[in-house]
Amino acid sequence: MDRTLAADLARLPELLDATRDAAAATLAALDARPVVPGAPPEGAAAATPPLPERGIGTEAALAAFTDRWAPRLSASAGPRYLGFVTGGATPAALAGDWLTAAHDQNSNSSLDGGGQDLERETVTWLRELFHLSAAHTGTFVSGATLSNTTGLAIAREWLGERLGVSPAEDGAAALGPVRVLSGAPHSSIAKALSVLGLGRAALVPVPTLPGREAVDPAALDRALADAPGRPAVVVANAGTVNTVDFDDLRAIAALRERHDFWLHTDAAFGAFAALSPAHAHLTAGLDASDSICVDLHKWLNVPYDSAVQFTRRRDLQARVFQNAAAYLGPLGENPDLVHLTPENSHRLRALAAWFTLRAYGREGHREIVERDIACARSLGESLTGDPYFTLLAPVRLNVVCFTLSQTPTAARLTALREAAGPEVFVTPTTYAGTPALRAAFSNWRTTQADVRRIAQALHTAAKELG
Ligand SMILES: *Cc1c(COP(=O)(O)O)cnc(C)c1O
């Protein structure tokens, strides 16, 4: 064994303790440090040292990381990182993630231990969390983009079933032209269609309701009637990223009485509305979907990367993703995970989710969701009362979409973001043609005290801007 490696092995517990101390110090500093670090000093980033010929061991590598790279990472685990839709990691989720690496499972088959069973148990809990019926099975994937891609791959096979061909066997071209209808789809839907050989051009935009990002069900009805006799795919959106608008899922599902379509619902973070009794109506009808995308590294607050893909047609899923090999198990009634996603090797990603659900339960996670919603609402109220700012949409759930009242150009918004940068991180967008900012609340640490700090930082930055 290499000398340095052997030395590390001999003092492994000590090295893990040192790593634990570094992690604890990072987390303890989250509140005080800038949310996003400033640009590195000139030249600091450019100098990549040559690949070490001889290693320095874990302790010295930890020191090098702590010195050179840790300060360049954002405080995205902290309470005032409101960019994109980004969760943190609950204590239990972090513990689960550490143990995932310690056990280092490839839980894709039933040949080597209970990893798959742990994932199935976690999926069952998630199904209950979102009020889904047992008709849905689920699989862990790396994120909502892969969850959407997997759901739409199953949709593609369903179109084949309807048309008497199998895209999995014969290629997507066997389907002829495909139509994927949606009101305000996430950008990852177009990416998924590109990956699946259906093409970005397959996406048919459907008008949304006036002043909304939710699809107009009557317009969807008409769009479906445009190609009678051809099965289609509808992507429903449960929580859009700009204004967290929800399609009327029950109204969309009801259209299946008149039209033949696969219903895929992108509920990446919107599914968590189901945890709050006051907001659960937004997800009513979710269970009727044929496939559902839910992200877990957002509002479940497990570390990157983690999402779940639910479907009512696991048989079609296995037709797409089956990986026949002499040494792998047969498909059977309950196919091994190797047959269900684009991946073959499969990290025991479910463990972090299992830990946080076991540790905090429905109650604990409901509290996180409701606190985040209350924080978003408070920031919305603060900005409404601040003459420098204008809200562009009501705060429907956990995102505040706002802009400068005076001359809201992209350049001025960038200057505002930079000035407020040490205290809060928000991301730019364009909403209804207006350059805007989004503040998305999905971290388990965020409190009303953070909201006051954020409102103050934004106010001060806007005032300086004039
Ligand atoms: C975040 C998000 C995605 C993409 O998720 P990743 O985890 O980044 O792949 C897709 N759809 C919606 C609605 C999202 O919010």
Side-chain angles (χ1 to χ4, degrees):
M1 193 182 285
D2 173 85
R3 205 151 35 92
T4 317
L5 189 58
D8 272 6
L9 175 60
R11 51 193 290 254
L12 184 56
E14 198 185 320
L15 293 172
L16 291 178
D17 277 346
T19 309
R20 195 268 320 264
D21 290 347
T26 298
L27 296 176
L30 275 181
D31 205 42
R33 57 166 291 191
V35 178
V36 174
E42 202 66 37
T48 294
L51 168 71
E53 209 50 57
R54 284 201 52 189
I56 55 178
T58 300
E59 188 170 26
L62 178 60
F65 168 75
T66 304
D67 183 51
R68 175 146 176 258
W69 286 111
R72 302 243 348 251
L73 302 181
S74 71
S76 55
R80 282 168 285 105
Y81 184 102
L82 309 183
F84 313 101
V85 181
T86 306
T90 63
L94 182 57
D97 198 62
W98 281 359
L99 291 174
T100 303
H103 287 277
D104 193 24
Q105 302 288 290
N106 182 2
S107 30
N108 66 2
S109 97
S110 43
L111 298 177
D112 78 333
Q116 299 202 119
D117 292 337
L118 184 146
E119 174 165 330
R120 291 189 184 113
E121 177 167 296
T122 312
V123 166
T124 302
W125 287 351
L126 289 167
R127 200 165 64 196
E128 288 177 35
L129 194 68
F130 303 124
H131 309 305
L132 299 177
S133 69
H136 280 279
T137 55
T139 321
F140 271 71
V141 288
S142 62
T145 300
L146 211 61
S147 178
N148 279 329
T149 304
T150 304
L152 291 172
I154 306 168
R156 188 183 64 179
E157 200 60 20
W158 175 85
L159 289 171
E161 186 179 71
R162 280 296 201 260
L163 298 169
V165 295
S166 170
E169 294 305 319
D170 307 321
L175 293 174
V178 166
R179 297 198 325 146
V180 179
L181 301 99
S182 192
H186 187 266
S187 51
S188 60
I189 297 295
K191 183 175 184 169
L193 296 176
S194 163
V195 170
L196 293 169
L198 299 173
R200 296 175 200 266
L203 199 49
V204 179
V206 179
T208 53
L209 294 167
R212 298 273 304 274
E213 288 186 302
V215 76
D216 177 351
L220 180 59
D221 190 8
R222 287 192 295 275
L224 284 162
D226 278 350
R230 291 286 297 179
V233 176
V234 170
V235 174
N237 302 295
T240 57
V241 289
N242 273 339
T243 67
V244 201
D245 214 339
F246 285 74
D247 289 353
D248 182 337
L249 301 178
R250 279 182 298 196
I252 294 175
L255 293 176
R256 287 199 287 206
E257 284 169 22
R258 290 205 298 287
H259 308 284
D260 195 23
F261 62 90
W262 177 274
L263 177 53
H264 173 81
T265 302
D266 181 353
F269 65 97
F272 286 83
L275 274 70
S276 162
H279 300 89
H281 63 277
L282 294 169
T283 62
L286 183 64
D287 186 53
S289 314
D290 298 298
S291 52
I292 302 170
C293 154
V294 184
D295 233 333
L296 302 177
H297 52 218
K298 290 176 178 167
W299 226 349
L300 191 68
N301 280 269
V302 297
Y304 285 92
D305 43 20
S306 188
V308 64
Q309 196 287 313
F310 291 108
T311 184
R312 289 172 164 269
R313 292 296 305 272
R314 191 172 56 183
D315 59 323
L316 295 179
Q317 183 177 12
R319 211 184 287 170
V320 177
F321 295 107
Q322 64 178 288
N323 189 83
Y327 60 90
L328 293 168
L331 239 54
E333 261 302 284
N334 205 7
D336 282 348
L337 296 175
V338 70
H339 301 301
L340 294 176
T341 76
E343 298 172 327
N344 271 7
S345 292
H346 193 93
R347 172 182 167 82
L348 187 52
R349 188 179 276 126
L351 185 54
W354 184 93
F355 250 87
T356 200
L357 291 171
R358 190 77 188 85
Y360 312 118
R362 195 196 297 272
E363 280 290 306
H365 280 277
R366 184 184 82 187
E367 192 277 330
I368 294 171
V369 165
E370 292 190 326
R371 178 156 40 85
D372 283 334
I373 295 171
C375 285
R377 197 149 289 157
S378 298
L379 182 64
E381 282 160 16
S382 286
L383 296 180
T384 303
D386 186 330
Y388 287 112
F389 295 106
T390 303
L391 286 203
L392 293 179
V395 179
R396 294 195 177 90
L397 202 68
N398 60 329
V399 174
V400 187
C401 185
F402 65 103
T403 195
L404 283 163
S405 303
Q406 299 295 324
T407 338
T409 60
R412 274 166 56 80
L413 290 173
T414 301
L416 177 83
R417 288 194 323 114
E418 281 170 6
E423 285 284 281
V424 60
F425 179 69
V426 293
T427 38
T429 189
T430 299
Y431 181 65
T434 304
L437 299 174
R438 305 168 50 259
F441 291 80
S442 33
N443 190 293
W444 66 280
R445 289 175 180 267
T446 311
T447 65
Q448 293 287 346
D450 291 304
V451 174
R452 287 190 289 276
R453 249 173 104 170
I454 291 161
Q456 186 60 53
L458 291 172
H459 179 82
T460 307
K463 198 166 165 183
E464 281 165 8
L465 213 58

